[in-house]
Amino acid sequence: MTLKRRDIRAFASVTKKMLLQMERKVQSAKHHELVYWHLASHGIPKSLHCLSLRLTEEYSVNAMARMRLPPPESVSRLTDPSFHHIVLLTDNVLAASVVISSTVQNAVNPEKFVFHIVTDKKTYTPMHAWFAINSASSPVVEVKGLHQYDWPQEVNFKVREMLDIHRLIWRRHYQNLKDSDFSFVEGTHEQSLQALNPSCLALLNHLRIYIPKLFPDLNKIVLLDDDVVVQSDLSSLWETDLNGKVVGAVVDSWCGDNCCPGRKYKDYFNFSHPLISSNLVQEDCAWLSGMNVFDLKAWRQTNITEAYSTWLRLSVRSGLQLWQPGALPPTLLAFKGLTQSLEPSWHVAGLGSRSVKSPQEILKSASVLHFSGPAKPWLEISNPEVRSLWYRYVNSSDIFVRKCKIMN
């Protein structure tokens, strides 16, 4: 600059433009990386496809894979209230096997547990084959497909209406992001992209609001998501006093009064709308789903399921602007005032996020670890620091697990 006698002001102006352009490129690269990371979370690994296909083939050629589940001598346990009933709604065979394996291995009395798996018609055959072949190492497991339920026409209509409204909410959210070229307000990009996950539209995710109808003969259950791993005995959950409430869930956090175990209501809801601001406090913590105790007897005495449907209709009348896509926001509204808080150590969530915030001592002492978030443990984008906590319960000796190279 000195040799060529350039104007210092012109030099500063050019330098500033270069720096701003470089900053925009960096921000754009970060933005695209985040979008691609979330897109990667939508895929199903080849190894999981392989496992389902091989188990389906095994079901067709191996009589043992078609064996009745549970065996006739154990059928009475399916409705026996003296047993500990755990419910999973899932279409992921490997994930279901990890949930059951980790629960059984850490149980003091594993023979007291009864597992009820509800899956879709597509996954029913491989799911049944897996637990039929591995029945020697499992307690009582029931596998039931949605096609095997005979619901009244009224319930079928309400389920279709529920799914249609959730699709409308999802499409509106997607269109808003598309119109803005997927640009985000600072701090909201993670939630905005996560709300676009196809699981927000999955029937199995939304059917939990109909659990009393799925299991009319049960009075108390523990509902587990398929992306959890159990690290201690869960038996005492069935002795937990819910004080007349319907659901037991972790509300308070291990990190004290200044943070939440998951998200706050403001992360799910549009508080600029009076319907939301008059019913919820935006800084309050939302209770964690993924490991919940349900008193189905108390549930049947309430109008929770109808309240859920009412909120969905209110969302339509309000222009689909009340909450982000997903089953949890209307569930939080329907269960308002009916939640009993559990000890924070029962359930630690967020292990499927880009960075795990929970300290190692908290992870070790937690009864249930929940890989909530896009980075599921079976995906390549999962966090390597916590992935091993899930993989240690994968049955690595199983011939289909080895052939499909799942451990790789």
Side-chain angles (χ1 to χ4, degrees), residues 89 95 154 209 214:
L89 284 73
E154 179 189 3
I209 197 67
L214 289 170

Side-chain angles (χ1 to χ4, degrees), residues 94 97-98 101 105 130 134 137 391-402 407:
L94 186 67
S97 73
V98 168
S101 174
Q105 289 185 41
W130 174 274
N134 293 284
S137 59
Y391 264 96
R392 61 183 174 179
Y393 293 105
V394 174
N395 185 0
S396 57
S397 63
D398 182 82
I399 185 171
F400 300 110
V401 170
R402 294 202 308 272
M407 299 304 292

Side-chain angles (χ1 to χ4, degrees), residues 346-363:
W346 273 114
H347 184 187
V348 172
L351 274 69
S353 57
R354 288 167 67 84
S355 59
V356 178
K357 299 176 182 178
S358 306
Q360 283 297 319
E361 59 269 20
I362 297 296
L363 296 180

